[in-house]
Amino acid sequence: MGNCHCQTVDAAALVIHHPNGKQQRMYWSISAAEVMRMNPGHYVSLIIPIVQSAGDHGPDDETRRSVKFTRVKLLRPTETLLLGQAYRLVTTQDVLRVIKAKKTANLEKTKKENQEDLQKTEKKTEVQRVFSRSVRNQQRCCMGSSARRHKSWRPSLQSISELGA
């Protein structure tokens, strides 16, 4: 019966994983700022397990497998570490490295999108040029020689001789 009590206490604990592999258990809530003060040069992150089922074999098939992914969310110093959760200490260098990698990825993505937009714009302008050329050529062909004469045609009046003056 005493073992049962210990297991429930363990379930009602928060676990902090240190970078060196050490695990620290706490049986009370604590703020992230306090943990950061106890471990200078580290940030506190929440470990979020994400479970996805691999393949749909049907409702009665028991051979379904689940793939676990882990997401890490950095906590602000004002946030409180809650019982029943797992947390990880992350070094400042790791955080800066990840932020730098994200910025680089965003810049590359933006650069790629800008190049694609530029290529689309160039294609559109080329299509417009070809279209306008074909319209001009079509107008020249369809106008024929009579239409061109009308542009330069000027009326000529023949003088009328007056009889009986």
Side-chain angles (χ1 to χ4, degrees):
M1 198 162 156
N3 289 342
C4 184
H5 185 273
C6 291
Q7 290 173 352
T8 57
V9 170
D10 286 341
L14 63 91
V15 180
I16 300 173
H17 297 275
H18 291 263
N20 60 7
K22 177 185 164 189
Q23 289 187 2
Q24 181 181 4
R25 291 185 180 272
M26 295 188 160
Y27 300 98
W28 60 90
S29 294
I30 186 170
S31 72
E34 289 180 54
V35 175
M36 288 183 210
R37 265 188 246 119
M38 291 188 302
N39 302 286
H42 291 83
Y43 286 95
V44 180
S45 63
L46 173 64
I47 301 170
I48 304 170
I50 301 171
V51 180
Q52 290 183 339
S53 61
D56 292 324
H57 299 286
D60 56 341
D61 194 1
E62 294 181 16
T63 60
R64 280 187 162 172
R65 288 183 255 153
S66 63
V67 180
K68 291 186 179 183
F69 295 95
T70 306
R71 182 172 167 246
V72 177
K73 177 189 170 208
L74 282 179
L75 299 180
R76 294 183 180 95
T78 57
E79 294 186 59
T80 303
L81 281 66
L82 302 174
L83 298 176
Q85 297 287 334
Y87 298 92
R88 180 178 292 153
L89 289 178
V90 184
T91 62
T92 307
Q93 293 86 6
D94 289 339
V95 172
L96 294 176
R97 192 177 323 127
V98 169
I99 290 172
K100 192 179 224 180
K102 282 186 178 182
K103 281 185 181 179
T104 304
N106 285 341
L107 286 174
E108 289 175 2
K109 180 182 174 185
T110 305
K111 185 177 179 182
K112 183 179 176 183
E113 288 174 355
N114 288 343
Q115 286 177 347
E116 289 174 356
D117 290 344
L118 181 64
Q119 289 174 352
K120 287 179 183 177
T121 305
E122 287 175 354
K123 285 180 183 178
K124 285 180 182 178
T125 55
E126 183 62 29
V127 168
Q128 289 173 346
R129 277 190 225 130
V130 169
F131 180 72
S132 62
R133 282 185 201 151
S134 66
V135 168
R136 274 188 260 133
N137 289 339
Q138 188 178 15
Q139 287 175 347
R140 286 182 192 153
C141 292
C142 294
M143 287 168 110
S145 60
S146 63
R148 281 191 219 126
R149 268 191 242 130
H150 288 294
K151 285 184 178 178
S152 62
W153 179 80
R154 295 186 185 169
S156 62
L157 297 175
Q158 295 178 353
S159 50
I160 302 172
S161 62
E162 294 184 21
L163 297 170

PDB file of all heavy atoms in Angstrom, residues 161-165:
ATOM      1  N   SER A 161     -17.321  75.038-113.552  1.00  0.00           N
ATOM      2  CA  SER A 161     -17.336  76.231-114.411  1.00  0.00           C
ATOM      3  C   SER A 161     -18.737  76.830-114.378  1.00  0.00           C
ATOM      4  O   SER A 161     -19.723  76.137-114.450  1.00  0.00           O
ATOM      5  CB  SER A 161     -16.930  75.874-115.821  1.00  0.00           C
ATOM      6  OG  SER A 161     -17.859  74.953-116.334  1.00  0.00           O
ATOM      7  N   GLU A 162     -18.778  78.124-114.306  1.00  0.00           N
ATOM      8  CA  GLU A 162     -20.078  78.785-114.235  1.00  0.00           C
ATOM      9  C   GLU A 162     -20.521  79.160-115.635  1.00  0.00           C
ATOM     10  O   GLU A 162     -19.793  79.794-116.376  1.00  0.00           O
ATOM     11  CB  GLU A 162     -19.967  80.020-113.361  1.00  0.00           C
ATOM     12  CG  GLU A 162     -19.675  79.653-111.928  1.00  0.00           C
ATOM     13  CD  GLU A 162     -19.662  80.861-111.040  1.00  0.00           C
ATOM     14  OE1 GLU A 162     -20.236  81.904-111.378  1.00  0.00           O
ATOM     15  OE2 GLU A 162     -19.053  80.737-109.957  1.00  0.00           O
ATOM     16  N   LEU A 163     -21.694  78.737-115.979  1.00  0.00           N
ATOM     17  CA  LEU A 163     -22.246  79.043-117.291  1.00  0.00           C
ATOM     18  C   LEU A 163     -23.114  80.278-117.178  1.00  0.00           C
ATOM     19  O   LEU A 163     -23.843  80.472-116.231  1.00  0.00           O
ATOM     20  CB  LEU A 163     -23.095  77.888-117.793  1.00  0.00           C
ATOM     21  CG  LEU A 163     -22.370  76.582-118.018  1.00  0.00           C
ATOM     22  CD1 LEU A 163     -23.350  75.493-118.281  1.00  0.00           C
ATOM     23  CD2 LEU A 163     -21.413  76.739-119.172  1.00  0.00           C
ATOM     24  N   GLY A 164     -23.051  81.014-118.018  1.00  0.00           N
ATOM     25  CA  GLY A 164     -23.924  82.178-118.118  1.00  0.00           C
ATOM     26  C   GLY A 164     -23.500  83.298-117.192  1.00  0.00           C
ATOM     27  O   GLY A 164     -24.306  83.954-116.592  1.00  0.00           O
ATOM     28  N   ALA A 165     -22.348  83.510-117.136  1.00  0.00           N
ATOM     29  CA  ALA A 165     -21.982  84.643-116.325  1.00  0.00           C
ATOM     30  C   ALA A 165     -21.884  85.887-117.087  1.00  0.00           C
ATOM     31  O   ALA A 165     -21.674  86.269-118.067  1.00  0.00           O
ATOM     32  CB  ALA A 165     -20.672  84.399-115.619  1.00  0.00           C
TER      33      ALA A 165
END
